[in-house]
Amino acid sequence: MSPASSIIDVAALARLGPEPDVVISSRVRLARNVSGLPFVNRATHAQRHEALRLLRKAVERSVAPGLAWLELHGAAPRDRTLLVERHLVSRHFAESDAPRALAVSPDERTSLMVNEEDHLRIQALQSGLALDSCFAAACGVDDALAGAVDWAFHPRWGYLTACPTNVGCGIRISAMLHLPALRMTREIERVQNAAKDLHLAVRGYYGEGSVTDADFFQVSNQTTLGSTEEALLAEFRDVVLPRLVAYEREARQQLLTRDRMMLEDRVHRAQATLGAARLLAHDEAMRLLSRVRLGAALGLLPVDMARVQRLMLEIQPAHLSLLRPDAGVGDDAERSVRADYVRQALS
Amino acid sequence: MSPASSIIDVAALARLGPEPDVVISSRVRLARNVSGLPFVNRATHAQRHEALRLLRKAVERSVAPGLAWLELHGAAPRDRTLLVERHLVSRHFAESDAPRALAVSPDERTSLMVNEEDHLRIQALQSGLALDSCFAAACGVDDALAGAVDWAFHPRWGYLTACPTNVGCGIRISAMLHLPALRMTREIERVQNAAKDLHLAVRGYYGEGSVTDADFFQVSNQTTLGSTEEALLAEFRDVVLPRLVAYEREARQQLLTRDRMMLEDRVHRAQATLGAARLLAHDEAMRLLSRVRLGAALGLLPVDMARVQRLMLEIQPAHLSLLRPDAGVGDDAERSVRADYVRQALS
């Protein structure tokens, strides 16, 4: 077993949280930089190592035990991809050449990226709509580290970060949403424009730079300056997110009322195709699983939504090669293993 | 029951004939014109009626009894479409405004179009590869009429016909072929070019003017002048058709050897989609049934090929409205009835 795969427990994030019909997961992330050291992109190799050393010491001393420490510069490519697929690290972080590490709790709810864009990014991730407990978890780590590290902080601007959009309280609040009905009714663009007006960033399944042509959208606050963490959280939790969730639910009801036949056609075809395909590319599998998830959420298909959620994790390339290490590396071999796995899982 | 639907027996042509894996049906057609009357496109309304009257008398007196006589100018549009879907009449014939009729045997193997492009077209149609018995059947009708009608015949040119390509012995020999593997391997264009060199016409499922972008091709001899019926039949039966059938079978073996996974993927997906869809357009249904037919022919799917053959007839728009008269006329209603029918038939 590889270091990354040994800490991966597929079952954890495959669980459903509150409001699972639309909200796949919630996330709160805090950005922090060590005072007296240049930002990662300005730091020398030695300074990056210094940040790594310093933060490892602080984490191991101050944060609740049980966090696994993973140095990414020493990890195998597949292991790094595995972490991207789990949404524990960004693609940028996985592909960087800096000395860098990830500390992650066994349940994956808490993780820390060291030397990503900032020296430290504290992340709390949970299934479903769980922003408050994500916020509490992230703050818990932040508080624990407060005495152990001296953060770059400006009395007027707040926490200093490599990217200006994070300056201030350095918080990013986000949710992964499943918005298939808004796509089917072609209202998604209107929603995306509205999100822009609300200073939200809308991204694809794999975050920054990933495509948004699937049914999964990561929505997050865009700026942090001039507001408190609590105010940003309250706005996102009480205004932004409920509105987006309501939009999607309305679109679903609209489809059920006006286009039920089309909707049933699509979800049943998706389920049948997943149950019959002998070759299945990742992007097609995600499109089909999205429809089956919608069918399950609306009670149109007798499928367990948690099973679908789990499959969405498992059929990603690196996860798949972990489950079926005998699979070849060629495209057809991967597509074949994926098809067999999905067929078995849904039969 | 309408006049056309009352003579339609879906079971007859749904049977499989010899070489059913590739050859769907065989057809021999003879073109004849009454001496002393102008060709249909040159004839007056009165002259067309005269041809109709004269030929009806001859048919009823001389041809084996049991032929139903159907006047198309008095038929409902759906009935005319029904006959096109059965390949008993051409689209041109169904849509013409001339006084015209179809005489057809209960088993649909023998039919006569009166006042299509020529005054009379004798057609013999059978499932599978059965050119000899089609030829015998067509000649039988021709012989029976020989004493009853005086045909336009030139001692040097042979039978005179409205279109020069039919002048001579006035025979057209054709076969409906299922060539999915040649399409998948992208060799179909090469075959179509070779067919052109052999003076063959290659048409779509509904004959002249219909699209050839599906997997079904009607192949027929292009010219008749300067050759005998027997020589044309022998060439088509012994050279042309065996070569086309062999090409398709080779392409199938090639797929089984080199692309088995892709092949299995496609036939299983097609079967699953037909078994799950809630809305099914005619052209999509034909594409999917073509793949299921291929899967059945190769033993990849446990599906009865005759059942597929029958479905291909039944799901055509006019046939469908006959089987389910309660269906609406709207597009969605038709697609829904088709999907329900297919799902039930394949479950």
Side-chain angles (χ1 to χ4, degrees), chain B residues 157-209:
Chain B
W157 303 116
Y159 290 102
L160 300 178
T161 54
C163 177
T165 57
N166 293 315
V167 169
C169 51
I171 195 171
R172 187 178 283 268
I173 305 155
S174 68
M176 181 76 78
L177 303 179
H178 185 214
L179 309 178
L182 286 172
R183 277 185 62 86
M184 280 188 201
T185 57
R186 294 194 178 83
E187 290 172 81
I188 193 71
E189 284 183 25
R190 214 161 50 83
V191 170
Q192 280 177 306
N193 288 335
K196 232 188 215 162
D197 294 341
L198 290 165
H199 302 290
L200 298 172
V202 180
R203 290 167 177 155
Y205 192 68
Y206 292 109
E208 206 159 345

Side-chain angles (χ1 to χ4, degrees), chain B residues 63-64 131 147 180 201 218 276 282 319 327 340 347:
Chain B
V63 183
L131 290 168
Q218 208 181 91
H282 181 214
H319 277 74
D340 291 348
S347 72

Side-chain angles (χ1 to χ4, degrees), chain B residues 27 29 72 77 79-97 100-102 111-118 121 123 125 172 203-210 218:
Chain B
R27 173 192 306 256
R29 195 216 62 199
L72 263 77
D79 273 16
R80 296 201 293 258
T81 307
L82 206 57
L83 298 172
V84 174
E85 292 179 357
R86 304 291 292 182
H87 295 100
L88 289 171
V89 308
S90 60
R91 274 197 197 282
H92 167 76
F93 191 61
E95 286 159 15
S96 140
D97 58 358
R100 61 206 189 284
L102 173 78
S111 60
L112 295 86
M113 282 194 284
V114 179
N115 282 348
E116 203 239 18
E117 199 177 272
D118 297 297
R121 290 200 158 176
Q123 306 175 116
L125 177 63
R172 187 178 283 268
R203 290 167 177 155
Y205 192 68
Y206 292 109
E208 206 159 345
S210 69
Q218 208 181 91

Side-chain angles (χ1 to χ4, degrees), chain B residues 20-25 87 175-181 183 188 192 202-207 210-219 252 282-294 308-309 312 315:
Chain B
D21 57 331
V22 180
V23 186
I24 299 202
S25 61
H87 295 100
M176 181 76 78
L177 303 179
H178 185 214
L179 309 178
R183 277 185 62 86
I188 193 71
Q192 280 177 306
V202 180
R203 290 167 177 155
Y205 192 68
Y206 292 109
S210 69
V211 287
T212 52
D213 67 349
D215 295 337
F216 303 99
F217 297 86
Q218 208 181 91
V219 179
R252 292 182 186 185
H282 181 214
D283 55 349
E284 187 194 5
M286 286 294 279
R287 273 198 306 277
L288 295 170
L289 284 171
S290 162
R291 294 195 167 175
V292 171
R293 195 182 199 282
L294 176 65
V308 177
Q309 185 98 339
M312 279 171 49
I315 59 150

Side-chain angles (χ1 to χ4, degrees), chain A residues 259 261-265 268-269 272-273 275-281 284 288 332 336 339, chain B residues 259 261-265 268-269 272-273 275-281 284 288 332 336 339:
Chain A
D259 270 317
M261 202 75 88
M262 180 275 282
L263 188 64
E264 291 188 350
D265 184 59
H268 281 283
R269 279 175 184 244
T273 302
R278 262 59 179 171
L279 291 170
L280 202 50
E284 188 193 5
L288 295 170
D332 254 17
S336 161
Chain B
D259 270 317
M261 202 75 89
M262 180 275 283
L263 188 64
E264 291 188 350
D265 184 59
H268 281 283
R269 278 174 184 245
T273 303
R278 262 60 179 172
L279 291 170
L280 203 50
E284 187 194 5
L288 295 170
D332 255 16
S336 161

